[in-house]
């Protein structure tokens, strides 16, 4: 897979007055005299603020820590490409269906423009990347979702790519690992989007019948049609710390049942304590955990 298209020229932000003198200059009337020194330009995105504890960190240091806050352990969202580079051996990945793009089957207002904007912004053709590679030397098929593409919504292309990946896993007798993050079914595709839930689930049923291994990794957030289908059908279900997942959000549930829900409701830890996931794994241990699970089921071999 080629990643060059995902790297773009740095943007810069202007910090007004960054080079101002310590004491502002004024004229005889007490009016401020503009500082003729050039304004300082610093790279945009140089620093990141943790949304949980508000700690400000250098972006490079955050990346070295796999985008996990060094103060509170908050796991920042990853793009599909970042996750592939993180878990695949040497970041190598042979992509499937890279040219598959979504149409506008229902002629939904402004869908084409929103879709094209997401393509331009992310460099992806849809909300999932599928393909094969090795993890710890074990060959695997993987589907990696990205929330920054229209909220990781499940549309026809996502459903087709995930289903095709599952079918190839059956054919090659490889395990499949799906990293999920999604806001749910893509409303612009209506019933065609909802059909992907049954389509992917049926493919996983075939994988199960063939004795194949499916590891589901849930990341923040995973809701709607994805959580109601393949995300919760894994032989092993792993979640990242603090990942929120469920069928619908807290507010809708509270309004429906007319009860106040616990503060940690729908988090990975809450679901673990209630038997909905098998383990919660911090990001730095994710690859080693996957290797350990693969070692229990798979014979090593070259692709």
């Amino acid at each position: 897979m080629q990643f060059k298209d995902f790297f773009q020229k740095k943007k810069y932000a202007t910090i007004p007055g960054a080079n101002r003198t310590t004491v502002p200059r004024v004229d005889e009337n007490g009016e401020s005299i503009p500082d003729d020194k050039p304004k300082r330009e610093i790279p945009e995105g140089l620093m990141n603020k943790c949304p949980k504890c508000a700690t400000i960190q250098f972006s490079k240091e955050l990346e070295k820590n796999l985008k996990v806050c060094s103060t509170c352990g908050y796991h920042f969202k990853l793009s599909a490409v970042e996750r592939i580079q993180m878990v695949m051996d040497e970041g190598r990945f042979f992509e499937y269906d890279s040219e598959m793009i979504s149409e506008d089957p229902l002629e939904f207002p402004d869908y084409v423009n929103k879709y094209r904007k997401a393509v331009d912004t992310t460099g992806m053709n849809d909300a999932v990347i599928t393909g094969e590679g090795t993890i710890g030397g074990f060959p695997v098929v993987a589907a990696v979702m990205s929330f920054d593409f229209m909220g990781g919504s499940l549309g026809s292309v996502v459903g087709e790519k995930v289903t095709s990946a599952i079918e190839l896993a059956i054919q090659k007798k490889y395990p499949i690992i799906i990293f999920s993050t999604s806001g749910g079914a893509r409303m612009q595709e209506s019933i065609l989007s909802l059909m992907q839930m049954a389509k992917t689930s049926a493919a996983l049923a075939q994988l199960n019948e063939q004795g194949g291994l499916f590891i589901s990794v849930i990341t923040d957030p995973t809701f709607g049609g994805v959580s109601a289908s393949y995300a919760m059908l894994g032989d092993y279900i792993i979640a990242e710390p603090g990942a929120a997942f469920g069928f619908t959000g807290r507010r809708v549930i509270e309004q429906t049942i007319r009860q106040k829900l616990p503060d940690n409701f729908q988090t990975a830890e809450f679901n673990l304590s209630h038997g909905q996931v098998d383990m919660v794994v911090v990001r730095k241990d994710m690859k080693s955990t996957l290797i350990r699970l693969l070692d229990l089921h798979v014979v090593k071999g070259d692709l």
Side-chain angles (χ1 to χ4, degrees):
M1 177 180 180
Q2 299 294 325
F3 295 118
K4 62 180 181 180
D5 293 335
F6 292 92
F7 299 96
Q8 300 177 352
K9 186 177 180 181
K10 287 185 178 180
K11 295 182 179 179
Y12 289 82
T14 300
I15 307 299
N19 278 348
R20 279 190 177 275
T21 55
T22 303
V23 180
R25 295 184 299 160
V26 296
D27 58 22
E28 63 273 10
N29 297 320
E31 299 293 332
S32 296
I33 300 175
D35 194 342
D36 57 359
K37 292 184 179 180
K39 295 179 180 180
R40 186 181 177 187
E41 302 283 344
I42 66 171
E44 185 178 320
L46 181 67
M47 310 289 287
N48 275 276
K49 182 178 180 181
C50 176
K52 183 176 181 181
C53 70
T55 298
I56 298 177
Q57 304 168 68
F58 283 105
S59 298
K60 287 186 177 180
E61 293 301 318
L62 187 63
E63 290 173 3
K64 288 180 181 178
N65 202 36
L66 305 180
K67 287 198 171 181
V68 176
C69 177
S70 57
T71 301
C72 69
Y74 174 79
H75 284 50
F76 285 74
K77 292 180 179 65
L78 295 178
S79 68
V81 173
E82 288 173 326
R83 197 171 293 279
I84 288 169
Q85 293 175 326
M86 191 173 295
V87 299
M88 293 294 170
D89 293 342
E90 300 177 354
R92 295 180 61 202
F93 194 68
F94 302 90
E95 188 177 359
Y96 301 152
D97 303 318
S98 61
E99 302 304 319
M100 191 178 294
I101 60 174
S102 180
E103 300 292 339
D104 183 16
L106 304 181
E107 297 182 356
F108 195 93
D110 207 35
Y111 179 33
V112 172
N113 290 334
K114 288 182 178 180
Y115 183 86
R116 288 174 179 170
K117 182 178 179 180
V119 171
D120 293 339
T121 302
T122 65
M124 298 171 59
N125 282 337
D126 217 295
V128 70
I129 295 176
T130 59
E132 62 183 71
T134 60
I135 299 178
F138 295 100
V140 299
V141 171
V144 187
M145 300 191 71
S146 194
F147 193 80
D148 54 4
F149 193 105
M150 298 188 70
S153 50
L154 174 62
S156 300
V157 168
V158 173
E160 177 61 25
K161 291 181 73 170
V162 170
T163 301
S164 177
I166 297 169
E167 292 172 345
L168 284 167
I170 296 172
Q171 178 183 330
K172 292 173 174 284
K173 299 188 184 300
Y174 288 171
I176 183 166
I177 303 174
I178 301 179
F179 294 87
S180 297
T181 177
S182 177
R186 188 170 297 174
M187 68 173 187
Q188 292 91 343
E189 296 187 18
S190 188
I191 189 64
L192 299 178
S193 176
L194 297 177
M195 289 169 60
Q196 308 310 310
M197 297 167 61
K199 182 178 181 177
T200 53
S201 298
L204 287 172
Q206 293 180 343
L207 176 75
N208 184 62
E209 290 174 2
Q210 297 294 322
L213 174 65
F214 168 36
I215 301 175
S216 176
V217 182
I218 295 173
T219 69
D220 183 54
T222 300
F223 284 98
V226 171
S227 68
S229 55
Y230 54 83
M232 297 301 294
L233 294 177
D235 297 303
Y236 294 99
I237 302 177
I238 304 172
E240 287 192 330
F245 64 95
F247 180 68
T248 191
R250 167 193 292 270
R251 183 176 62 182
V252 174
I253 297 174
E254 287 182 336
Q255 290 175 347
T256 302
I257 67 176
R258 302 182 187 282
Q259 293 182 26
K260 180 68 176 176
L261 297 169
D263 290 339
N264 65 341
F265 179 68
Q266 291 184 319
T267 63
E269 293 75 12
F270 181 90
N271 281 286
L272 177 65
S273 67
H274 287 76
Q276 296 300 302
V277 299
D278 296 303
M279 61 187 82
V280 176
V281 179
V282 296
R283 193 167 287 166
K284 68 181 181 62
D285 294 334
M286 183 62 71
K287 184 172 182 177
S288 61
T289 299
L290 293 175
I291 291 173
R292 188 167 68 251
L293 294 177
L294 292 169
D295 193 33
L296 293 172
H297 297 272
V298 182
V299 177
K300 274 192 176 181
D302 295 328
L303 289 175

